[in-house]
Amino acid sequence: YLTFLIKDNKNNVYHNNLYPCDNGKCVTYDKVCNVMDDCGDGSDEVNCTNNFHCGTTVLDLSRVCDGIVDCLDLSDECNEQCSSRIIQHKGIEITALVIGIFGLIFNTIATFDHVFKLVIECDSRKAFFNMSLLTIMNLSDMMTAIYNIIVAGHNIHYGETYCKEQFKWLTSSTCVALGMVNTIGFFTSILTMTALSMARATSIYFDSLVRSAKVNKKYVLKTISIAFALVLVPTFISIAPLINYFEDFFVNGFYYGPQNSLFIGTPNKIKHLSILKGLL
């Protein structure tokens, strides 16, 4: 083997502190394993215990499993030490699936029962209004149940591969639609329970008047208008993030696909600006 020595003219001594790179270049040993590609081919960072390799990218270990994607192949966040699923724990997955199935069955039965009573049995305004709101609550709970079933199903479908497929899933039309369904179902249920509580509290003071009042077409239209408002507000909340005017309030990042090496993962607006500024 040949040993290369460098003369230090100042101290008149010879020393060997050069590391031979695989591409024929030499760097000093203080540049080896410093989490920087000083050789140009990454060979000065090979077999180092203080960094992480993904392709030609070298990362400090503190940037691995930190929740921020730095590697084009997502290997810094999808590996044996860390990974992710739509639902992290198997027990929660099974619970969501069971609750969703039973919730869908029981709320479907309750909806048909309430609709039947609305048409056949509810003569007084109080009974008609209460039964109408209960029907809306059943429908909103059905939406939440459907959401649980589909999310649990996709969690089973993706399994351990979800981590690598997460951005494809999060930007899919299915995920967007599920988000809207869950938002509409949740907020409709909350608003309907609030309206039902207010109606029952009011009926305490006007019980005799409300109990004797009969349902007519005008009251039916009034109830339908209230029901429409209870659904319209949550619907607007669910579609607001999809409106360009509001995107700065809701969009957390952008995904450009696995082939874009400039914007890796889902960089936010600040990250975009810093990357573009570095190119100038």
Side-chain angles (χ1 to χ4, degrees):
Y1 295 93
L2 293 176
T3 300
F4 294 91
L5 301 176
I6 298 178
K7 182 179 181 181
D8 185 348
N9 293 320
K10 183 178 180 180
N11 298 314
N12 196 30
V13 295
Y14 292 86
H15 54 79
N16 175 23
N17 68 339
L18 292 180
Y19 176 83
C21 305
D22 291 347
N23 60 4
K25 182 180 176 181
C26 291
V27 296
T28 55
Y29 272 101
D30 61 335
K31 294 182 179 179
V32 178
C33 293
N34 64 345
V35 201
M36 293 182 64
D37 183 9
D38 298 293
C39 283
D41 60 357
S43 58
D44 58 312
E45 301 300 320
V46 174
N47 298 325
C48 298
T49 59
N50 67 331
N51 59 39
F52 180 85
H53 285 259
C54 52
T56 58
T57 303
V58 181
L59 300 176
D60 186 88
L61 289 180
S62 62
R63 296 174 65 183
V64 179
C65 297
D66 62 347
I68 301 174
V69 177
D70 297 294
C71 295
L72 195 60
D73 62 357
L74 312 183
S75 59
D76 59 312
E77 300 300 323
C78 301
N79 50 62
E80 294 180 356
Q81 285 71 41
C82 58
S83 189
S84 63
R85 295 167 61 102
I86 301 176
I87 303 175
Q88 288 294 111
H89 301 287
K90 193 69 176 179
I92 299 177
E93 173 194 293
I94 296 173
T95 302
L97 187 60
V98 171
I99 291 176
I101 292 173
F102 280 103
L104 181 61
I105 294 173
F106 291 133
N107 279 289
T108 300
I109 295 173
T111 299
F112 280 109
D113 179 62
H114 291 160
V115 170
F116 175 80
K117 290 179 179 179
L118 273 173
V119 176
I120 305 299
E121 299 180 5
C122 295
D123 295 327
S124 68
R125 293 185 179 185
K126 178 181 178 181
F128 184 83
F129 186 78
N130 288 344
M131 198 59 64
S132 297
L133 294 188
L134 287 173
T135 303
I136 295 174
M137 285 184 62
N138 288 139
L139 292 172
S140 62
D141 289 343
M142 283 175 62
M143 296 177 72
T144 303
I146 292 171
Y147 169 83
N148 286 341
I149 294 171
I150 296 178
V151 169
H154 276 80
N155 192 61
I156 296 172
H157 169 72
Y158 279 108
E160 298 300 328
T161 66
Y162 171 74
C163 190
K164 291 290 184 75
E165 301 288 336
Q166 59 182 298
F167 298 129
K168 185 185 296 184
W169 160 251
L170 292 172
T171 56
S172 67
S173 56
T174 302
C175 186
V176 173
L178 282 175
M180 294 178 64
V181 168
N182 187 50
T183 302
I184 293 173
F186 175 77
F187 282 103
T188 300
S189 182
I190 295 296
L191 291 176
T192 305
M193 283 191 292
T194 303
L196 189 59
S197 298
M198 293 175 63
R200 288 176 174 176
T202 304
S203 67
I204 295 176
Y205 297 97
F206 305 99
D207 185 65
S208 58
L209 180 63
V210 174
R211 192 180 293 272
S212 60
K214 297 296 181 180
V215 178
N216 53 34
K217 290 183 179 180
K218 183 178 179 180
Y219 189 78
V220 171
L221 290 175
K222 180 180 178 180
T223 304
I224 292 175
S225 299
I226 294 174
F228 180 75
L230 291 173
V231 177
L232 182 63
V233 173
T235 302
F236 175 77
I237 294 174
S238 70
I239 65 174
L242 305 178
I243 301 174
N244 291 336
Y245 182 80
F246 299 112
E247 66 178 11
D248 284 343
F249 298 98
F250 296 99
V251 176
N252 296 318
F254 296 88
Y255 179 60
Y256 294 92
Q259 305 303 321
N260 192 310
S261 58
L262 182 61
F263 299 108
I264 300 174
T266 55
N268 57 21
K269 188 175 182 180
I270 297 175
K271 185 69 173 179
H272 273 82
L273 294 175
S274 65
I275 293 174
L276 294 174
K277 185 177 179 180
L279 296 175
L280 298 178

